[in-house]
Every structure is written in structure tokens, then in C-alpha cells.
Amino acid sequence: MKTVDDEPAEERPPRVAPGWGLARRAKSLVTVTASLALAVAGLAMSPIAAQAAAPTVVSLTFDDGHVDQMAAAQTLDSLGLKATFYVTSGVVGTPNYFTLAQVQSLAGAGHEIGGHTVTHPDLTTLPADEATRQVCNDRVNLSNWGFRVTSFAYPFAAANANTETIARNCGYNSARGLGDIRTRFSCTTCAVGETMPPADPYYTKAPDQVENTWTLADLQRSVTQAENGAGGWVQLTFHHIANNPSDPITTSPTLFNQFANWLKTRPATTTVKTVDQVIGGTVKPLVSGPAVPPPGTGNLVKNPSFDTLTNGLPQCWQQGGYGTNAPTFSTVNQGRTGRAAQIIMRNYANGDAKWLPSLDLGGCSPAGTAGRSYNLGMWYKSTVPTQFAVYYRSGIGSWTYWTSSPWFAAATTFQKASWTTPALPAGASGISFGLNIFSNGTLVTDDAEMFDAASTPPPPPPAAGANLVQNASLETAGMGSFPQCFQASGFGTNTPAYTTLTTGAHSGTRAVQLVMSGYSNGDSKLLPALDSGSCAPPGTAGKTYSLRAWYTSTTNTQFAVYYRNSAGTWVYWTSSPWLAPAATYTQASFTTPALPAGATAISFGLNLFSNGTLVTDDYAMYDTVGAPAL
């Protein structure tokens, strides 16, 4: 089992990266009923009819910048056909997407490079400033890399009057939608081709995206129905070109090659052009989106309690993850305060899932300053361990996995996970983070926070005489055989066995028994969790504390005491004098020295350092000022 000191496995980009979702423009899927006779008739147009047909223009477009689209580019290059590649600039150079050199090679071969936003959001759900940054800054990024950028495609084909205005104001000459040209799958009463020029250049009509249900006959019919009808412009949209039939937006290289070779043989009235060649126009000046406000003060997380919804989802949050697993994301009303975000993980093989502040350009993601550290916090309940997964945004708006926190134990009631990041890398301007789930189970999160470490408000001081130990009587179950907020610890050569007893407790119904055998050296003990969150009892440097626990033991025991230093690392501190064996419950007590400078928390427990049996219950830790009498 992984410990808190293990390095996290390398992460891939979150599952929310471009191409994971199907087009969200409304589509009405219909049963395939087209007759074979009609299909054959549609493809078997005579040369005379072809000569008389109205001109038809086909544009082959590719969305997102998936690296497997290079297979299609090789086929097109061999046939002398040119396409339009709509590139999401924020993922260029990340795994499974184009490198900058590959995009440059496409442009060098005569293909068009178009814009597709920086991080592929649904623009219709964003505030105006963020939507403008996504569209304008994507064009700026691509243009600064040396490309002629005049054409745009809406992610998920999600558009409205506001997004059309943004596309125009950012300097594009056109913007493509989806789902408004006839196919056998949908829009069966639509036109067979877009007009040239389009009636609305900032929402040009196109068939639904090509999916794995499309056959060669479907691709051919999208062309021949225009050739046999009123002609016009047919924009075909591809995503993945690969042998992966389980992915609904994948087209096999064989099918694409068959179609491209067929397309090359069409009569002279049918031509293949890039979107820019169809629309025309000059390259307009670059326009940058609104500047991102600098980090403010206080909690930098927007909608931290998940209470504000947009289209049924928590505003400013998105679903993330990677690997082979089947997460279900939802919101629940039984949060720590109001609503909370839930993930149920099933069929886990590898990877993770998490809710994250939106990986955007600053409209929702918390702003950060390079060189500064940040205190992250989030309340959670979980049936399995969890940890923070953290990302940062670079200067061009791309997001990169950064680091992960130590693990936090499973918890049946809300506990606060807290962790301080390293210094934010040079060039970074934003942070996104979330507690993840990386095994089958259920995770509920609520009340996220992120503060500049230099200005984090101190936690409220505990009430005078308050017991600082969480789950002090061990009644709330946690992970495995251990109570919530407690863990086993020890060292040396020995064989400890822990059991949660449901009879014979000092108070309540639960106590923990430790049986030591095979003892050679070292010790073992039950401790409040050595975490960076709310389980470890908080301490203040310079203060002394009264430690207490009830026990029975067949052999000597003593308190072993640890503290968490300013770097967040747990170190051994001191031990109490030995305590005698006890056949009936006896209260052990020990007053610590003054807590060292920089220390922020204490953990302690009665240990066994020989073969025998120890039962503990009812832990307590008090500031010696105001501590109740023994």
C-alpha cells in the first residue's frame, strides 16, 4: 500500500481535454431506414448528370489537434488534397496532441490551421470576458506561432448570438457549427449543402460530426446528395483517425483513406477546398482577450461550496480524470454546508477522477503568482483514501499536471484536508486542484479554499479546555481496522496486530487493541493521523500540552510524541516515562515540554515495545492553560 511518502504516479491531462465530449448541439438520432436502392442510386450518378450538377465544395475539417490526425494528413498529402485543422492551442505539445512542429508541418504542406479556443470549453456557459479570452487568445497563440488564422470552430458546436459576436470581434472571418446539413442520422429535412457565401458566416452550417457509426456510403452520400441536388458547401468534421471502434468519435484510417481516394475522383464540378478558400477575405488584426485580474485576497476559489449551478453543474467547476475507470459525477444536497460534489468510482483499473475548478484562462480558475506557495483546503467524506491533484496554467493558457499531496485517510464524516503547495513554477499564472478518487468507492467534497500561504488567515483558537483530539473515543470507523483520524505507526523488528474491539471499551462501544508478537526491537502504537489536515491535533509553538489516554496493558507502555514542523513534515519529538501494566482501565497522562518553534500540530500514542497486549481508548490533548483536572 502506498504511504504518504510515496511519489505520486505521473498524471495525464484531465479527462476534460478536447475530444472527450460529443458535440453538444442538439441532435435527433433516428433508426437507420434508408433503403439500399436509394443509397445505390445516390452514388451511381451518371457522368452526364454530374456535368449538369450545381457546383459542390467539400471541406475536410479536423477538430482539437489529436495527434492521430497525422495519419489523415499523410493520405491527403499523397492525393494533393488540403484540409482545415482546428487546433486547440492550449493542448499543443501535450500527450496525444499535436506538437508545434507537427502543426507547422501541416501548414507547410498547405493545410489550413484554424482556431478552436485555448482549452475547449462550452463558450455559451462562460462569462463574456472568459469566452472572449478563449476565442481571441487562441487566435493570438496560433498567429504568434506563424500561422494564418481566419477560421474558427465552436467547441461542442455550442454557439449563440454572443459567441458569434465574439468570434467576429476576435478577427475571424467565419465560425463553424454542426448538425444543420442533412445526414441519415439527423436533420433529415435540412438542406444538402451550405450556401456559398453562407448566410451567417459566424455559424456556418455543417453535418453532424463524423462518428464511428458512419460508413463509406454515409460519407459518399454527404457529397452525392449535394451533387444531385442544389450543390453547395459540405463541411465534414473528423476527430480521431485511429483503429478504436469503442470511441464514438473515431474514424478508422482505412475508412478515411477509402473516402479520400473516392473524393479525389469526383467530377470537376466537385472540388475540395479549405474553409479559408471558401470564405475568403483578408487576415484581420489580432485582438487579445481581456486581461486576467491579479490574485486578490481571501479565498481564491470561486463557488467554493458548489452551491451555484449552471446548466445543472456547479458553476466554475469541471469533471477531470484519466485512465481506465468508470466515474459517475453528481451533486448532492447533503453537503457540509448546502450542496456538495460527489464521485462514485466503479470498474477501477488505473487513473483517477476529481472535480476541479475549471481549467480556463482565469474566469473561474484561481489566480496564482509564480514563486508563491498556496494553502489548499477542502472538506470531504470518502470510503477510500484521497489526495489533492494540482495543476497550473502556463503563459499561453495551457494546463499542466504539477503535483499531488500526501494521502488523506477515508472518513465517514466530513474532515478537512489541508496542504501547502511548493512554490508556483516560473511562468505559471493560475492553479486548479481537487481531491481525487483512485480506487472503487465514493468521495464527497465541499467548501474548497485556496489562500496565498503568506496571507492565510489563522484558524480560530480552540476554546479553553477543549479536547484537541478528533474522534477521541474512537467511535467513528475509518479506513480498514482503524478509527477515523487515527493510524498505526511503529518501527523496528516486531509483529503488531491491531483490532477494533466492540466490547470492553472504556466509554462508548469501541476501543483499539494492539497485540505484539515476534518482538526484537522497535515499537508500535495507535496515533492521531500524521496528516496535513484537520485530524492531527493543532499545536502552538511555545505552549505545553497535557496528553491523556485510558489503557489496559499486560506490559509496560509509554507515550511517544511527534510534531509537524513548519515544512509540513512529521518528526519524533519526545517520550513520557514508562507506565506500569494495568489489568483494568487506567488513565495515562503526560505534560509535554514547550512545543518547538515552527511546529503546528502534535500526535501521540501509547506504545508497546515488548511482546504483550495493549488496549487504548478515550484520547485527550489539552492546552495546559485551562486543561481540566485529571
Side-chain angles (χ1 to χ4, degrees):
M1 178 177 176
K2 185 176 179 182
T3 69
V4 297
D5 296 322
D6 289 337
E7 291 295 327
E10 180 181 358
E11 287 204 19
R12 298 179 184 175
R15 183 171 282 122
V16 292
W20 282 100
L22 301 179
R24 289 171 56 178
R25 186 168 177 82
K27 300 187 292 183
S28 59
L29 300 178
V30 296
T31 305
V32 178
T33 57
S35 71
L36 179 61
L38 286 174
V40 172
L43 298 178
M45 183 172 60
S46 69
I48 295 176
Q51 294 294 330
T56 298
V57 175
V58 179
S59 290
L60 303 173
T61 72
F62 298 82
D63 282 10
D64 304 340
H66 299 291
V67 70
D68 54 31
Q69 294 170 5
M70 293 301 295
Q74 292 174 357
T75 296
L76 297 175
D77 291 342
S78 70
L79 297 172
L81 302 177
K82 307 304 176 188
T84 297
F85 290 84
Y86 290 111
V87 175
T88 304
S89 62
V91 299
V92 171
T94 64
N96 303 316
Y97 293 93
F98 289 145
T99 64
L100 180 54
Q102 287 172 321
V103 185
Q104 290 169 334
S105 71
L106 291 172
H111 301 293
E112 179 187 5
I113 305 303
H116 201 42
T117 72
V118 178
T119 66
H120 202 272
D122 179 339
L123 295 172
T124 63
T125 67
L126 303 182
D129 281 359
E130 175 64 18
T132 303
R133 279 191 289 268
Q134 288 283 350
V135 179
C136 287
N137 292 1
D138 183 50
R139 183 167 181 256
V140 170
N141 291 341
L142 295 171
S143 298
N144 286 344
W145 287 334
F147 305 120
R148 184 182 191 276
V149 185
T150 62
S151 307
F152 180 73
Y154 298 104
F156 311 109
N160 54 30
N162 292 333
T163 62
E164 290 191 33
T165 299
I166 290 170
R168 179 187 297 109
N169 292 344
C170 289
Y172 285 105
N173 294 340
S174 69
R176 192 210 66 209
L178 288 173
D180 302 291
I181 296 297
R182 185 185 309 172
T183 71
R184 74 177 173 97
F185 303 101
S186 65
C187 212
T188 55
T189 60
C190 288
V192 296
E194 170 66 291
T195 59
M196 296 182 290
D200 181 1
Y202 294 97
Y203 196 91
T204 62
K205 297 177 181 179
D208 282 336
Q209 63 192 5
V210 178
E211 299 183 358
N212 63 1
T213 51
W214 285 52
T215 65
L216 177 61
D218 293 321
L219 291 167
Q220 292 172 334
R221 187 180 298 108
S222 65
V223 178
T224 57
Q225 67 183 4
E227 291 176 337
N228 292 339
W233 184 23
V234 179
Q235 300 177 83
L236 293 172
T237 302
F238 299 88
H239 286 81
H240 290 286
I241 306 296
N243 291 308
N244 184 12
S246 64
D247 184 349
I249 55 175
T250 294
T251 302
S252 74
T254 298
L255 176 57
F256 183 82
N257 292 349
Q258 290 172 339
F259 175 63
N261 278 278
W262 174 86
L263 193 58
K264 178 69 174 178
T265 66
R266 300 314 295 153
T269 51
T270 297
T271 55
V272 177
K273 296 182 179 180
T274 67
V275 173
D276 182 53
Q277 288 172 332
V278 174
I279 296 294
T282 60
V283 179
K284 296 176 183 176
L286 294 180
V287 178
S288 296
V292 177
T297 58
N299 186 1
L300 301 176
V301 179
K302 297 180 175 65
N303 191 25
S305 296
F306 301 96
D307 289 330
T308 303
L309 301 182
T310 301
N311 296 334
L313 297 175
Q315 186 181 78
C316 282
W317 291 84
Q318 68 178 50
Q319 301 162 13
Y322 72 104
T324 304
N325 50 70
T328 300
F329 293 84
S330 64
T331 59
V332 294
N333 292 326
Q334 298 76 32
R336 176 176 174 267
T337 58
R339 196 182 305 274
Q342 176 176 274
I343 306 171
I344 299 175
M345 178 69 83
R346 301 181 179 91
N347 302 324
Y348 182 86
N350 53 60
D352 77 2
K354 58 260 184 181
W355 284 97
L356 297 165
S358 298
L359 301 176
D360 64 8
L361 303 184
C364 285
S365 56
T369 301
R372 303 186 77 89
S373 296
Y374 292 87
N375 290 336
L376 310 181
M378 185 174 281
W379 290 81
Y380 76 98
K381 295 190 298 184
S382 182
T383 62
V384 292
T386 182
Q387 66 181 162
F388 284 117
V390 192
Y391 301 79
Y392 69 83
R393 186 182 61 234
S394 72
I396 67 165
S398 62
W399 284 90
T400 302
Y401 167 72
W402 179 20
T403 187
S404 292
S405 72
W407 288 14
F408 301 99
T412 55
T413 59
F414 276 108
Q415 298 293 319
K416 186 177 182 181
S418 300
W419 186 60
T420 300
T421 71
L424 193 59
S429 58
I431 296 175
S432 184
F433 67 96
L435 289 174
N436 65 2
I437 185 166
F438 47 92
S439 59
N440 290 329
T442 300
L443 169 68
V444 179
T445 56
D446 199 3
D447 296 332
E449 63 186 33
M450 173 178 144
F451 293 94
D452 188 314
S455 59
T456 301
N467 184 359
L468 301 176
V469 178
Q470 300 290 321
N471 192 25
S473 294
L474 313 182
E475 295 299 301
T476 303
M479 184 173 61
S481 61
F482 296 102
Q484 181 175 292
C485 280
F486 278 78
Q487 68 173 66
S489 180
F491 69 101
T493 304
N494 50 69
T495 305
Y498 288 87
T499 305
T500 297
L501 303 179
T502 55
T503 59
H506 174 257
S507 69
T509 61
R510 292 175 183 263
V512 172
Q513 174 180 275
L514 164 61
V515 177
M516 177 72 82
S517 61
Y519 183 84
S520 178
N521 53 61
D523 78 358
S524 192
K525 57 265 182 183
L526 182 73
L527 300 169
L530 301 173
D531 67 2
S532 56
S534 63
C535 280
T540 302
K543 286 183 172 289
T544 60
Y545 292 88
S546 175
L547 311 182
R548 307 176 189 184
W550 289 84
Y551 77 99
T552 66
S553 181
T554 63
T555 185
N556 292 326
T557 183
Q558 66 179 162
F559 282 113
V561 192
Y562 300 78
Y563 70 83
R564 188 178 62 214
N565 65 22
S566 58
T569 302
W570 284 93
V571 295
Y572 169 73
W573 179 20
T574 188
S575 293
S576 72
W578 287 13
L579 302 164
T584 59
Y585 274 107
T586 301
Q587 187 175 34
S589 63
F590 173 61
T591 299
T592 71
L595 191 59
T600 58
I602 297 173
S603 185
F604 66 97
L606 292 172
N607 64 2
L608 273 185
F609 47 92
S610 61
N611 291 330
T613 299
L614 170 70
V615 177
T616 56
D617 197 4
D618 295 331
Y619 286 61
M621 173 178 141
Y622 301 99
D623 187 325
T624 52
V625 178
L630 288 164

